[in-house]
Amino acid sequence: EELGEGGGKQAEAIAALKAVQDALGPIEGVGIVLDPAASGGKQGKKGKDASGSNAGEPVKVKGLVAGGAAEESGEVKAEDVVLEVDGKSVAGMDEEAVMDMLKGPAGTTVTLK
């Protein structure tokens, strides 16, 4: 189907996404900005493997979002290295994949190591 047609698959997809968001409530992050150069993100340059990721590079915190959960906890600071999210290793993961692990419904507890 063409984009812009009345109804159609695009409208169905938007309606399905809205239903999921309504069921889950607002999606939030923990208020961490990751360093893409150190975490294998698309902008990283050091140590790229054949796939273009920075396999083996640490996932580093570049900064915190003012008023975010990470800043309020006082337990995370810039230059920290994230090893695990909720007990799952982030070794070899790119910035986007790690950020997806840090998002969830408002009030969700996330454990970092």
Side-chain angles (χ1 to χ4, degrees):
E1 280 185 27
E2 296 286 324
L3 291 178
E5 285 185 9
K9 293 184 181 185
Q10 182 181 15
E12 290 173 20
I14 291 169
L17 179 59
K18 182 167 176 13
V20 169
Q21 288 174 331
D22 288 345
L24 292 175
I27 302 296
E28 294 184 358
V30 296
I32 292 176
V33 178
L34 296 179
D35 182 355
S39 61
K42 295 174 182 113
Q43 299 170 18
K45 295 185 190 228
K46 298 187 337 183
K48 287 193 183 263
D49 63 14
S51 71
S53 79
N54 287 347
E57 291 294 318
V59 177
K60 282 190 175 180
V61 175
K62 183 176 184 178
L64 305 178
V65 175
E71 181 186 65
E72 290 179 6
S73 77
E75 296 182 30
V76 181
K77 31 185 194 315
E79 299 302 315
D80 280 355
V81 174
V82 179
L83 302 173
E84 297 178 358
V85 177
D86 290 333
K88 296 177 187 162
S89 173
V90 299
M93 296 177 79
D94 66 21
E95 172 195 19
E96 189 174 326
V98 177
M99 290 306 297
D100 285 344
M101 294 174 71
L102 296 172
K103 295 177 187 172
T108 301
T109 300
V110 176
T111 304
L112 301 177
K113 178 177 177 186

